[in-house]
Each structure stands twice: as structure tokens, then as C-alpha cells.
Amino acid sequence: NNILDVAGITKTYNAGKPNAVTVLQGASLSVQPGEVVALVAPSGAGKSTLLHIAGLLDSPDEGTVTINGTDMTNLSDRKRTAVRRSEVGFIYQFHHLLPEFTALENIVLPQLANGIDEAAATDHAKNLLARVGVETRAEHRPAALSGGEQQRVAFCRALANNPSLLLADEPTGNLDPDTSDRVFDALMELVRGTGLSAVIATHNLDLAARMDRTVRMDAGTLTQI
Ligand code: ADP
Ligand code: ADP
């Protein structure tokens, strides 16, 4: 059973208007358990659109998204949201942590929203922070952390509810090259250590080479290389 099957996805923004733009035309992608897939594409090619559709944050015009064997196409919004919260972790180029909460709280809160009790949520959050080397930063707010530390905390938050699928959109794209390499190491260790499946978009071919395989986006479709 695949963790993710994206099949025949079509997406046009502003359909029927003069400024219509077709971003995806029959895009398909499958991810097996434990597989880490690099998504490489020029900017503007539709990577973010594809990741948002795969992660149930946006809907395709045509095609299906199947997560862990469940076809999401005809699920109610409420059920889709529930699946997204428990099965999918998202990481962006910018951390998007809540500024008024500490690093620890940013990882505890999504677990509380998912019905985990506070003691267990706190243990799990501390464990995640230690695994990416920022346990000493637990009580700091995001503004007090370096860019690399902010991303490490964002990785922990994405994994807070033990998702089966991680989707990352240029997760180290706003860091300088040295920091990017180290932070990417931490992400890969976390992903490999949990056996998580992931799709990680990157412009960096050296980072792509460290994943299991690379999929290239071209003219709205995906080609395995
Ligand atoms: P990438 O992540 O590869 O840079 P995106 O998926 O963000 O690409 O965008 C692909 C194309 O779709 C771009 O031309 C972008 O301008 C356009 N686009 C993205 N989102 C919207 C939107 N909400 N409305 C209209 N056009 C959009
Ligand atoms: P980097 O070069 O990795 O981006 P910085 O120079 O931003 O790191 O920060 C170095 C260290 O100082 C980091 O461990 C960070 O957590 C800490 N730090 C940065 N800004 C603040 C701040 N406003 N308050 C407390 N600690 C901070």
C-alpha cells in the first residue's frame, strides 16, 4: 500500500478568465512507505500547488489524492481536515511558528488539538526537540531563535501528531548554504528515524541526491529521473 497516490491532477487558476493559468496537467506521483522523494522544478512550475493539493490544503480540478489507501476526493471537508491533521505534516520555507508561544508550546498545541493529554504531548515535544538538537531552546519564543533553529522547531511541529506523510516546500531555502546543509541533515535524521514518507521540494540538486529518488516537474506533469 502506498502512503500517497496523486493521480491525474489538473489545476487551473482563474479558469475561464483572461488571466487563466494552467499549472498542473495530469500530474501523478506515488510515495511508498518510508520513501523520501525529492521534487525538483524551476520556480513557478507548480511545486507549491502540487504539495498543497497532496496535503489536502487545496483541491484539484480533476484527479484524485489517496492517502494511506483512502481516496480523499469525496470526503466531507470535516473528514478531510481530520485526515490532514493526523496524517500530514507540512513544512514551509519560512517557519510559520506562532510568535507568542515558546518552541515547546508550538509543538504541544497541535497535539492538544488532536486530543493528546498535556503530559504526553510535552514529553513527545521535548523528545522531538532533542532529536534535532534544540532541546535547550524549548522555552524560547521563535524571535529569539536563529533561522536554523526556527526551522528545526518547525520540523518538530510538523511531526507532532506522528503523521504518515511529510510534505516540505523548500524547507531550508531561506538559510545560508552551511546552515542549510546542517539543518537538512537534522531533517533527514528525523525522517529516517521515524520511518516517515516524505516529499521534499528543493532547488538544490545536492540535497535532492541524498533522497531516495528525484521527480522533476515539467510543463505541469512529473517525470521520474
Ligand atoms: P512553485 O511552487 O513551483 O514556485 P506555485 O505552485 O506556487 O509554483 O505556482 C505555479 C504558478 O501558479 C505560478 O505561475 C503562480 O503565479 C500561479 N499561482 C499560484 N497560486 C495562484 C493563485 N492562488 N492564483 C493565481 N495564480 C496562482
Ligand atoms: P545563526 O547564525 O545560526 O542564524 P544567530 O547569530 O541568529 O544564529 O544566533 C546565534 C545564537 O543566539 C542562536 O543560538 C540563537 O538562538 C541565539 N539568539 C539569537 N537571537 C536571539 C535573541 N534575540 N534572544 C536570545 N537568543 C538569541
Side-chain angles (χ1 to χ4, degrees):
N1 244 11
N2 289 332
I3 297 294
L4 174 69
D5 285 296
V6 165
I9 298 292
T10 299
K11 182 74 177 181
T12 299
Y13 290 109
N14 305 316
K17 296 185 191 155
N19 59 346
V21 48
T22 295
V23 180
L24 301 174
Q25 305 188 67
S28 298
L29 172 67
S30 291
V31 182
Q32 292 171 10
E35 203 178 22
V36 180
V37 177
L39 179 60
V40 175
S43 137
K47 275 182 279 111
S48 304
T49 301
L50 181 77
L51 291 174
H52 281 159
I53 289 172
L56 309 176
L57 293 165
D58 195 0
S59 299
D61 299 331
E62 287 171 54
T64 57
V65 175
T66 305
I67 294 179
N68 262 331
T70 304
D71 182 351
M72 298 294 149
T73 315
N74 296 314
L75 285 193
S76 65
D77 282 353
R78 203 172 54 83
K79 286 216 174 107
R80 283 164 58 93
T81 301
V83 172
R84 174 163 55 74
R85 285 197 181 141
S86 59
E87 297 296 330
V88 184
F90 245 102
I91 302 170
Y92 297 91
Q93 186 169 345
F94 185 69
H95 60 82
H96 290 301
L97 296 168
L98 298 171
E100 67 274 39
F101 294 102
T102 66
L104 187 74
E105 288 166 342
N106 266 281
I107 305 163
V108 167
L109 288 170
Q111 298 180 71
L112 299 183
N114 234 19
I116 309 295
D117 79 68
E118 190 168 348
T122 302
D123 276 355
H124 184 44
K126 286 183 172 166
N127 182 273
L128 286 167
L129 286 168
R131 284 164 68 175
V132 294
V134 288
E135 64 275 27
T136 61
R137 298 291 182 217
E139 304 303 333
H140 290 72
R141 291 193 180 155
L145 303 176
S146 75
E149 290 170 335
Q150 290 168 342
Q151 284 306 87
R152 288 172 199 253
V153 175
F155 301 165
C156 297
R157 182 190 46 187
L159 269 62
N161 285 321
N162 301 314
S164 45
L165 175 66
L166 178 71
L167 301 174
D169 196 352
E170 303 272 356
T172 62
N174 73 336
L175 303 172
D176 64 76
D178 279 356
T179 308
S180 169
D181 278 353
R182 283 185 288 111
V183 169
F184 188 80
D185 285 342
L187 175 60
M188 288 302 278
E189 255 180 60
L190 195 58
V191 168
R192 297 301 191 190
T194 48
L196 199 59
S197 305
V199 180
I200 303 178
T202 181
H203 286 304
N204 184 328
L205 295 181
D206 292 331
L207 297 187
R210 293 164 55 187
M211 300 184 221
D212 296 323
R213 67 188 163 95
T214 295
V215 164
R216 187 174 288 282
M217 264 193 116
D218 199 18
T221 58
L222 299 165
T223 320
Q224 170 145 359
I225 57 171

